[in-house]
Amino acid sequence: MASHAPDGSSERSCNAPILASSVATNATVSGKIGEETLESLMSGDGFVGNVHDACPDYAGKRGREKGQLIFDAAFESGNLGRVDVISAFEYDLFIRPDTCSEKYQLWFYFSVRNARKDQRVIFNIVNFSKTKSLYHDGMTPVVWSTSRPKWVRLPSQSVFYYRCPDHNFHYVMSFAFMFDAEDDLYKFAYCFPYTYSELQHYLARLGRMKLDFFKRDLIGSSVQKRRVDMITISNPENLRPNREVKMKTVVITGRVHPGETPASFVCRGLIEFLISDDPQAKKLRRHVIFHIIPMLNPDGVYLGNYRCSFMGADLNRRWDNPLPWAQPTIYAVRKFVYSIDRDRKSDLRYLVDLHAHSTLLNAFMYGNAYDDEERACQQASFPRLVNTRSSSFSMAQTAFNRDPVKVGTARRHLGGTLRPHTNVYTLEVSFLGFISPGFDGKITEYTPDTCILHFLRHSRVVFVLSDNSCPPPVVNR
């Protein structure tokens, strides 16, 4: 949002931009990594390319007087690569591309401090790599402050998404904000954050509960040596190696794309339900073994990437041939899934990969298309069952395909290589929300609580006791 002179010419001029060091910037923008940057990254402590403690000068002012905002994104899951000062009340902000990749710029997460009370500003996010966006449909960024330590969405009347002539008519998202507490730290993000550390604290807390039907294992490690946890939920007699009964098994994976944070809240909702005292949860634990891998891309999550791993790979295009040194998390999980598939005492019924969608509303699934009519009917049964249980799920948006571009995804690769009775899906949940039937098109926004509680607890997880037969037709909801 540039200011303009009375004759219509742009007055938009700014001082030198604030950005990260040249070594760090080259690593993220050009895809090249110097030795110093690589050593920092491999240690797991570097936040390459993010601004740190940056206080841009404007109107000849230097130093850090009150009201000169200080920006920082050098923290876990942070992302902000550059700040241009347009005026005392307007800033252009540039998302840092995913590490070792130039393609993806969507996730942002940064902090601001040193504001005056009641200071008003306009922030412009100017370099999204996607043009389609839920910002068109009313989605807004989220904000947190030390006085209000709970993430909330900004009001929609303060957020604008438009083509900007000052940025070659690329789409820009601008939001107006007033700092209401002088000494607060404020944080802004694309959507509700869910970090690697948050997951580790959550799993540690569950471990301290000493539940006999809950087990946490280390299934592998990332390139930067972060944990890839797998939790197993089922009654203890089902987990004995010498059991006689063949057990139905479900595998859930999530956060292969690190910026898709709603997937983590959905996964947490599933876990909370399965360990609860709900009668159906108890029934599921008696009859089914659940293996849940909540975070397939911990390095990407930690570094604040949107789609890629530390090495710049989209891990959901690597399931067909993961390399143990470059994609160790996918390599380890694929090896585990194949071991279940071969195990004569395991009956792998479902594998569901959790994602979030940045351009569509509702929750929906992608499944595989098969020429065999019986298998195609079997593949459609689970989405139809979910459709009967969840008001946020859309059968109309659910699709079954064999798109060649998706060959390396978990859905396409595992759906074509596991035994025919195993159903593999991608579950997508909107970054924004869903349209409930009978509410005249009104959008119900997702929050961490509704992702955790509404979608999976209230849908009552119908994975399992279906015999995979074709259900009767169900009216879309």
Side-chain angles (χ1 to χ4, degrees):
M1 295 177 71
S3 57
H4 292 272
D7 63 359
S9 62
S10 176
E11 291 184 339
R12 190 184 183 93
S13 61
C14 59
N15 295 300
I18 295 292
L19 64 164
S21 70
S22 59
V23 172
T25 304
N26 286 339
T28 56
V29 174
S30 70
K32 299 176 182 177
I33 300 181
E35 291 183 10
E36 182 180 332
T37 303
L38 182 60
E39 182 179 349
S40 173
L41 277 170
M42 292 303 295
S43 72
D45 297 325
F47 299 101
V48 171
N50 285 336
V51 298
H52 173 55
D53 204 26
C55 184
D57 300 328
Y58 61 89
K61 292 186 177 180
R62 296 187 178 275
R64 299 195 171 193
E65 297 177 8
K66 207 65 175 174
Q68 289 185 262
L69 302 183
I70 300 173
F71 295 81
D72 203 336
F75 51 79
E76 184 176 3
S77 294
N79 187 312
L80 184 65
R82 173 176 146 192
V83 180
D84 286 0
V85 186
I86 308 307
S87 69
F89 56 85
E90 186 175 5
Y91 299 79
D92 279 356
L93 309 180
F94 292 77
I95 300 169
R96 168 188 55 77
D98 285 4
T99 53
C100 306
S101 172
E102 299 177 4
K103 291 175 64 176
Y104 302 109
Q105 293 133 229
L106 195 75
W107 173 258
F108 60 85
Y109 181 18
F110 60 92
S111 70
V112 179
R113 69 181 193 276
N114 202 42
R116 296 189 309 272
K117 188 177 187 310
D118 297 333
Q119 181 176 350
R120 291 169 169 82
V121 295
I122 296 171
F123 292 143
N124 309 311
I125 310 290
V126 301
N127 65 329
F128 289 112
S129 56
K130 284 186 175 182
T131 56
K132 290 184 66 178
S133 174
L134 283 167
Y135 289 128
H136 269 310
D137 298 294
M139 188 172 107
T140 64
V142 295
V143 62
W144 174 101
S145 70
T146 45
S147 293
R148 299 180 183 84
K150 184 175 181 178
W151 289 96
V152 295
R153 295 188 189 272
L154 292 172
S156 59
Q157 61 267 31
S158 300
V159 181
F160 309 90
Y161 189 69
Y162 58 99
R163 288 187 182 273
C164 181
D166 295 299
H167 293 281
N168 296 318
F169 291 93
H170 292 158
Y171 275 99
V172 168
M173 188 272 292
S174 298
F175 61 95
F177 189 78
M178 185 180 76
F179 297 95
D180 58 354
E182 191 158 293
D183 297 321
D184 269 14
L185 176 73
Y186 293 81
K187 291 184 177 181
F188 302 90
Y190 177 84
C191 191
F192 302 98
Y194 194 101
T195 65
Y196 169 78
S197 293
E198 189 171 353
L199 173 67
Q200 293 303 306
H201 291 312
Y202 175 64
L203 296 182
R205 178 171 66 81
L206 294 181
R208 291 191 294 271
M209 295 171 68
K210 305 294 183 184
L211 303 170
D212 64 355
F213 50 77
F214 174 93
K215 188 158 73 86
R216 178 185 181 186
D217 294 301
L218 180 67
I219 194 173
S221 298
S222 67
V223 172
Q224 292 186 305
K225 306 304 178 187
R226 294 189 177 88
R227 293 179 61 95
V228 179
D229 288 286
M230 180 179 71
I231 64 172
T232 302
I233 300 174
S234 192
N235 280 5
E237 61 269 19
N238 299 335
L239 304 179
R240 293 197 304 263
N242 60 346
R243 70 172 189 267
E244 298 292 332
V245 181
K246 189 173 187 176
M247 292 297 302
K248 292 180 180 178
T249 304
V250 174
V251 175
I252 309 291
T253 59
R255 288 301 284 282
V256 69
H257 292 149
E260 296 177 3
T261 58
S264 283
F265 294 109
V266 169
C267 188
R268 187 161 172 169
L270 172 61
I271 295 169
E272 291 289 317
F273 173 72
L274 290 175
I275 66 173
S276 72
D277 291 330
D278 186 286
Q280 190 169 358
K282 292 179 178 179
K283 187 176 183 181
L284 289 172
R285 295 198 296 265
R286 284 197 302 272
H287 293 282
V288 185
I289 297 174
F290 287 87
H291 297 294
I292 303 173
I293 301 99
M295 194 169 283
L296 289 169
N297 191 351
D299 290 347
V301 171
Y302 187 85
L303 293 169
N305 288 352
Y306 170 63
R307 194 172 181 89
C308 293
S309 67
F310 151 64
M311 297 182 70
D314 181 344
L315 295 184
N316 203 34
R317 298 296 184 272
R318 297 293 191 271
W319 286 89
D320 52 346
N321 187 29
L323 301 173
W325 60 272
Q327 298 97 32
T329 65
I330 302 301
Y331 182 87
V333 174
R334 191 180 85 147
K335 182 178 178 181
F336 171 75
V337 171
Y338 282 149
S339 72
I340 297 176
D341 189 53
R342 293 189 299 267
D343 184 1
R344 62 180 181 84
K345 293 184 180 180
S346 295
D347 179 14
L348 180 57
R349 289 296 184 93
Y350 298 101
L351 188 148
V352 183
D353 189 25
L354 304 177
H355 287 255
H357 209 286
S358 64
T359 64
L360 296 176
L361 293 166
N362 304 313
F364 53 94
M365 290 187 190
Y366 293 120
N368 293 305
Y370 299 105
D371 294 327
D372 180 77
E373 185 176 349
E374 183 177 350
R375 192 172 184 191
C377 184
Q378 171 186 303
Q379 178 83 170
S381 64
F382 177 52
R384 287 180 175 179
L385 286 168
V386 175
N387 189 60
T388 67
R389 302 295 185 95
S390 174
S391 60
S392 65
F393 189 83
S394 170
M395 194 66 197
Q397 290 173 256
T398 295
F400 304 90
N401 61 58
R402 51 168 69 94
D403 185 346
V405 177
K406 308 288 188 180
V407 166
T409 63
R411 172 180 64 86
R412 284 296 314 280
H413 177 72
L414 297 175
T417 56
L418 297 175
R419 285 182 288 183
H421 73 278
T422 302
N423 296 290
V424 183
Y425 305 94
T426 298
L427 172 62
E428 298 275 3
V429 179
S430 173
F431 274 99
L432 174 55
F434 62 94
I435 300 175
S436 297
F439 281 84
D440 300 324
K442 182 179 178 182
I443 297 172
T444 300
E445 294 182 351
Y446 282 128
T447 67
D449 289 340
T450 55
C451 274
I452 290 171
L453 299 175
H454 175 86
F455 182 74
L456 279 172
R457 273 186 172 177
H458 292 186
S459 66
R460 287 295 187 257
V461 195
V462 289
F463 281 105
V464 356
L465 304 174
S466 148
D467 62 359
N468 284 346
S469 59
C470 292
V474 177
V475 176
N476 288 341
R477 303 183 64 184

